[in-house]
Amino acid sequence: MAPLPQELFDTIIDEIHDKETLKACALAATSFLPPSQRNLFRKIRLGGHRSRDASASLAEFPHLVSYIRDLTIYMWDMVSNFAAVAAVLRSVQNIESLAVFGRAVNWNRLGYEASSALLDCLSRPSLRFLYLSSMRGVSAALISAATAIPVVSFFHIRLDVREEISEQLHASAPAPRLRHLILGDAGPAVRLICDFLLHPRKPAYTQQIERLEIRIDQHSASYDKRIMTACAATLKYLAVSPADVIRLPLLPSLLEIEIKVFVGDSRRLPAFFAPNLSQIASSLPFVETITLVFVVEPLHPEVEWPDGTPLPIFGLSFMNRTQLLHLRQVHCKLLHRNVFSEANALFDRFVPAIESMMPGLHGTGILECTLDDSQHEL
């Protein structure tokens, strides 16, 4: 009987996602070892909970690094071993996703070896996603390198304010490939990043962005409007978490907007909710999908919903379809995080409250309400 081709073993093992099963396969036969290791080490954490075995294995068997496609580094847990971090970053030639959690680690503490290795890693053509969280004193060179990555998320990233950002840095920046930008911050931190991305002599940083996710407060609103305007020609998806009335520019290419609403201490929807939603009619003429995420925070007693005052853009006049002519769906999602209340009971009140606010959508098939309580136990 002819031996089975290796490709068949590879295909079967590629469908296994349980780590214990993969470990058993790696020990079962020589032909099972490479595909098992490839899947075991495709997604790796350095530092953090339950990652010690991975770190030890990579040090003992360096060839395993070549299998890494998705790498997460918890920098605060690797302070005494930045040399090992640098070695891994320089070796992952086919990395696709990189997440770095700093927990307020200062960029200067990384040392030249680790920081330069991180910058080199950002230049990998295979890298498609970058997530940076909670690092201080970050060099502008990192922001420049990040523009060459299609999906980039910055959260609590503080640039080095002492650093003089030279024209040469902008001139030598890689060809921008940024398509999806996530700014999970507001205030001074996001202003510095926006200043860099909105450099007047480098408009290409933002001119290819199709998806933008931003938080907006009174300290960053002007910057957020500028960055929305800068990518208006290409922007198809926008997600905003406003803390006040926002000013949406004209976004003629936008097809989908998501607005996240946090229920505050008043146990009512914030006063700026209706004005923000009303802007959609004039600012997003071709929008097809509106998603409203209502986040119920851990408040006690339970949240009270509005008294049913209709929203202007979804009042009875909506049936005339003189505005939002391309609208196909309004998705209202209740994101339940209140451990003091029962999610289904709250949702039973949520649906009629939403329907009373949007009477113009009755019978159109456009309105959809859903419950997400996946974080209820967290």
Side-chain angles (χ1 to χ4, degrees), residues 68-82:
I68 298 176
R69 299 293 181 271
D70 186 331
L71 176 62
T72 298
I73 303 173
Y74 298 93
M75 284 294 189
W76 73 86
D77 236 5
M78 302 295 291
V79 169
S80 62
N81 203 13
F82 282 151

Side-chain angles (χ1 to χ4, degrees), residues 107 132 135-140 142-143 157-160 163:
W107 176 264
L132 293 179
M135 295 185 71
R136 295 180 285 112
V138 172
S139 169
L142 185 144
I143 308 300
I157 297 300
R158 282 13 181 208
L159 292 185
D160 187 351
E163 180 182 4

Side-chain angles (χ1 to χ4, degrees), residues 126-189:
S126 59
L127 188 59
R128 304 287 302 172
F129 177 84
L130 172 67
Y131 182 93
L132 293 179
S133 173
S134 302
M135 295 185 71
R136 295 180 285 112
V138 172
S139 169
L142 185 144
I143 308 300
S144 176
T147 63
I149 302 168
V151 183
V152 176
S153 175
F154 295 121
F155 184 75
H156 288 319
I157 297 300
R158 282 13 181 208
L159 292 185
D160 187 351
V161 295
R162 301 165 302 173
E163 180 182 4
E164 186 69 30
I165 302 176
S166 66
E167 291 291 331
Q168 183 179 358
L169 178 61
H170 288 288
S172 61
R177 294 193 300 155
L178 188 57
R179 300 293 187 275
H180 184 175
L181 175 62
I182 305 165
L183 296 174
D185 233 345

Side-chain angles (χ1 to χ4, degrees), residues 21 36 44 86 113 128-129 144 191-192 206 212 225 288 309 312 330-331 369:
T21 304
S36 299
I44 291 298
E113 186 177 8
R128 304 287 302 172
F129 177 84
S144 176
R191 292 206 301 269
L192 291 172
T206 57
L212 179 64
K225 184 176 180 180
E288 296 177 355
T309 303
V330 176
H331 181 197
C369 295

